[in-house]
Amino acid sequence: MALDDAALVVIDVQNDFCPGGALEVPDGDAVVPIINRIAPEFSARILAQDWHPPGHLSFASSHAGKAPFETAALPYGEQVLWPDHCVQGTLGAAFHRDLATDGADLVIRKGFRPGIDSYSAFYENDQSTSTGLAGYLRSRGISRLFFAGLAIDFCVAWSAIDGTREGFECAVIEDACRGIDLDGSMDAAWERMAKAHVARVQSCEL
Ligand code: VGL
Ligand code: ZN
């Protein structure tokens, strides 16, 4: 089959990124039926889950005088400050109730270190602390990655770019993603992905 050696990597389809959530992505829940439809086609299915301890350093509430969506200079670089979201064990951190999770081979959690955010499913935002995902995929014989989920301009884009850095052939399934779009972040993300040779495909082309 065409999708041998290929994994679907589903990024952060969690309640807090869906309408009504703490960091809602407009129309975020629209990705769920698309992901459920295509997932069985892949040789491996990976779910990433944003998983922050209370008081995480990426939360604006951890910085006196800062509001959500402002930025702060953290030891590893400039960081957007977010509303509190995906706090470990809360309903907001749970996967969307309609996401088919039983078929997942691996759930990889990220952002659990109190002082480092992790947009990418491969590396935390210091660009050097590994999540271990690349080693897992390589030992499964996977060479191609298809990305779906939330948010295209943050966690999906950084994951796909890091996937190419790890030597995987990477594509983003555009209609299976939605974005936050903060100050032109959508256009910037597509540009960065194009530069990194991340392909842009639609679910009907799989
Ligand atoms: C995300 C901001 C903060 C994402 C996660 O999943 O794109 N964005 N944490
Ligand atoms: Zn987060």
Side-chain angles (χ1 to χ4, degrees):
M1 183 239 291
L3 294 172
D4 275 357
D5 309 327
L8 178 65
V9 184
V10 176
I11 304 290
D12 301 358
V13 181
Q14 294 165 257
N15 292 322
D16 271 343
F17 296 121
C18 289
L23 179 41
E24 60 185 338
V25 177
D27 208 23
D29 54 346
V31 304
V32 172
I34 302 171
I35 291 168
N36 288 347
R37 177 168 53 79
I38 63 178
E41 308 289 325
F42 293 85
S43 347
R45 283 159 292 277
I46 315 300
L47 301 178
Q49 190 173 26
D50 210 37
W51 194 249
H52 300 306
H56 191 256
L57 202 62
S58 75
F59 296 168
S61 61
S62 303
H63 302 263
K66 291 281 192 182
F69 309 109
E70 292 181 1
T71 59
L74 298 189
Y76 56 82
E78 188 87 348
Q79 164 79 47
V80 179
L81 299 175
W82 303 106
D84 290 22
H85 66 279
C86 297
V87 174
Q88 296 170 2
T90 63
L91 186 61
F95 292 117
H96 187 285
R97 58 184 297 177
D98 296 331
L99 184 70
T101 56
D102 288 350
D105 302 337
L106 176 76
V107 174
I108 185 130
R109 289 175 167 165
K110 60 187 182 61
F112 52 77
R113 290 185 179 79
I116 320 182
D117 204 6
S118 188
Y119 291 157
S120 159
F122 293 96
Y123 287 99
E124 307 210 346
N125 288 7
D126 63 1
Q127 304 286 301
S128 63
T129 305
S130 169
T131 63
L133 179 58
Y136 172 86
L137 292 168
R138 270 196 284 275
S139 57
R140 291 271 318 257
I142 299 292
S143 57
R144 295 188 295 148
L145 306 179
F146 290 81
F147 291 86
L150 311 170
I152 182 69
D153 37 350
F154 289 92
C155 291
V156 176
W158 287 115
S159 296
I161 290 167
D162 281 351
T164 63
R165 211 177 124 194
E166 285 291 344
F168 298 98
E169 198 183 302
C170 293
V172 165
I173 307 167
E174 185 173 11
D175 56 315
C177 298
R178 292 294 184 279
I180 297 174
D181 207 10
L182 196 60
D183 300 329
S185 56
M186 294 272 263
D187 289 344
W190 284 116
E191 244 169 67
R192 279 198 316 274
M193 289 192 282
K195 266 200 197 116
H197 305 290
V198 173
R200 183 173 183 165
V201 303
Q202 308 300 320
S203 62
C204 62
E205 298 166 351
L206 296 172

